[in-house]
Amino acid sequence: MTSSIAPSSSSPSVHPVLAEVVRSGFTEGSHRGSLVVLAADGSVELALGDPAAPVFPRSSNKPMQAAAILRAGLDLSGERLALAAASHSGEPFHLDLVRTMLAEHGLDADDLQTPPDLPLDPVEAEAYLAAGGVREPITMNCSGKHTAMLAVCLRNGWDTATYLDPSHPLQRLVGEVVAEAAGEPVAAIGTDGCGAPLMAIGLVGLARAFRAFVLAEPGTAERRVADAMRAHPEYVAGTRRPDTWLMREVPGALSKMGAEAVQAVALPDGRALAFKIDDGSTRALGPVLARSLELLGVDAPVVSRIGRAPLLGGAVEVGGIRAAF
């Protein structure tokens, strides 16, 4: 392991292979990326690729967005706060709570500006379609976050029609929370898949942010978000998702994946990790996450469960995706 991290400008242009695709004993492909592992004191224990370079953390930014919503004055807790930080699977209990939260704040599904979508979980999507469902804003995996955003706008008298504009008071506050938690300025602002502004930071900053949330003082917005996510992980993800498994089976772990194969995890003693697979392939996410957890010293059955990524040939397992570091 290395104790320091090279500046972004001096890093190689080609990132290292983090995962290999092995079929029938033959390596047929690979996935490159960048990764950082932090020690309990916040120092860099391992740096692969260029983890200082800015990336869009995608939904791994959701804990910071939820903390901004709390700082803006919306009183959320328990399952509701977990859902505000969620990329939910679209299971019935997720959609039921979104509808409940909308009604509690005098809103309805037509107020959501999430794009129409199917449930994120493939099993739920099949069941939803079989029951005659169609793509709707409420079934999009970010509908819990958007409900909370709309609710805090109503509380503060902020315009709800423009709540996704980067210049909106809520989104400016989100940017401040992201920068504060990451310990670095936001490098760029884009638009996420759900339409919300997306703040770019380095993977080191992302790992620092998750570390800051688990180490925050009780009662702070950051700690309230971390505690709600860890107490109700099925609302953050779903019953068939690695984030849920990890937060359920590793005491005190905070975990959130993002689109384009981004992942961040922090343990209650301050150890943390963050990585991104360059090509955005989520099939490599589990093996890379499992190996990263091993490097953090996590010894739990859930690690091997997360790391399994079999490849099939003729409906028979003939290989798999494995970490390469």
Side-chain angles (χ1 to χ4, degrees):
M1 288 189 175
T2 179
S3 60
S4 62
I5 180 170
S8 173
S9 59
S10 65
S11 300
S13 58
V14 177
H15 295 155
V17 173
L18 297 186
E20 296 176 328
V21 183
V22 181
R23 180 180 296 275
S24 304
F26 179 82
T27 302
E28 67 171 350
S30 61
H31 298 282
R32 297 179 180 272
S34 296
L35 176 147
V36 66
V37 174
L38 302 183
D41 64 1
S43 62
V44 175
E45 281 201 351
L46 175 66
L48 298 176
D50 191 3
V55 301
F56 282 134
R58 304 297 297 272
S59 286
S60 294
N61 268 351
K62 282 178 176 171
M64 287 81 89
Q65 292 171 319
I69 290 167
L70 292 183
R71 286 195 188 183
L74 188 65
D75 187 15
L76 289 178
S77 61
E79 294 93 336
R80 287 164 173 76
L81 182 51
L83 193 62
S87 301
H88 66 70
S89 289
E91 295 175 66
F93 67 90
H94 294 129
L95 303 183
D96 286 347
L97 185 54
V98 173
R99 293 186 183 98
T100 296
M101 289 173 64
L102 286 167
E104 288 172 344
H105 296 283
L107 298 161
D108 61 41
D110 291 337
D111 295 309
L112 295 169
Q113 292 184 28
T114 44
D117 206 352
L118 296 174
L120 184 62
D121 186 296
V123 174
E124 296 302 324
E126 288 188 11
Y128 182 78
L129 289 170
V134 297
R135 294 177 184 270
E136 297 182 78
I138 198 170
T139 50
M140 200 269 172
N141 71 87
C142 302
S143 61
K145 178 184 78 175
H146 281 244
T147 296
M149 286 182 169
L150 283 165
V152 78
C153 288
L154 289 175
R155 180 198 179 279
N156 289 303
W158 294 336
D159 184 36
T160 57
T162 59
Y163 77 98
L164 299 183
D165 191 306
S167 65
H168 191 280
L170 173 60
Q171 303 305 339
R172 291 202 305 269
L173 179 58
V174 169
E176 293 171 10
V177 172
V178 170
E180 177 185 317
E184 63 184 63
V186 170
I189 299 177
T191 304
D192 210 343
C194 68
L198 180 60
M199 317 300 175
I201 52 176
L203 292 169
V204 177
L206 182 60
R208 282 198 211 106
F210 273 61
R211 179 177 183 272
F213 271 55
V214 299
L215 296 179
E217 290 296 320
T220 61
E222 292 77 11
R223 183 62 176 272
R224 288 171 61 191
V225 171
D227 287 349
M229 291 174 67
R230 293 181 290 187
H232 307 283
E234 66 279 4
Y235 282 90
V236 176
T239 56
R240 289 177 287 270
R241 303 268 295 284
D243 282 333
T244 299
W245 306 339
L246 183 58
M247 288 190 281
R248 274 279 174 237
E249 299 182 38
V250 177
L254 179 67
S255 179
K256 185 72 189 73
M257 72 165 291
E260 295 297 315
V262 176
Q263 180 75 52
V265 176
L267 301 179
D269 64 358
R271 288 173 289 162
L273 68 89
F275 66 82
K276 183 188 184 326
I277 307 298
D278 286 348
D279 62 13
S281 177
T282 55
R283 70 176 182 171
L285 195 148
V288 173
L289 175 57
R291 176 59 180 149
S292 303
L293 291 169
E294 290 174 353
L295 294 175
L296 279 182
V298 176
D299 182 16
V302 70
V303 175
S304 59
R305 182 184 183 190
I306 288 172
R308 262 189 58 77
L311 294 176
L312 303 182
V316 176
E317 186 173 336
V318 296
I321 302 168
R322 67 188 182 193
F325 59 97

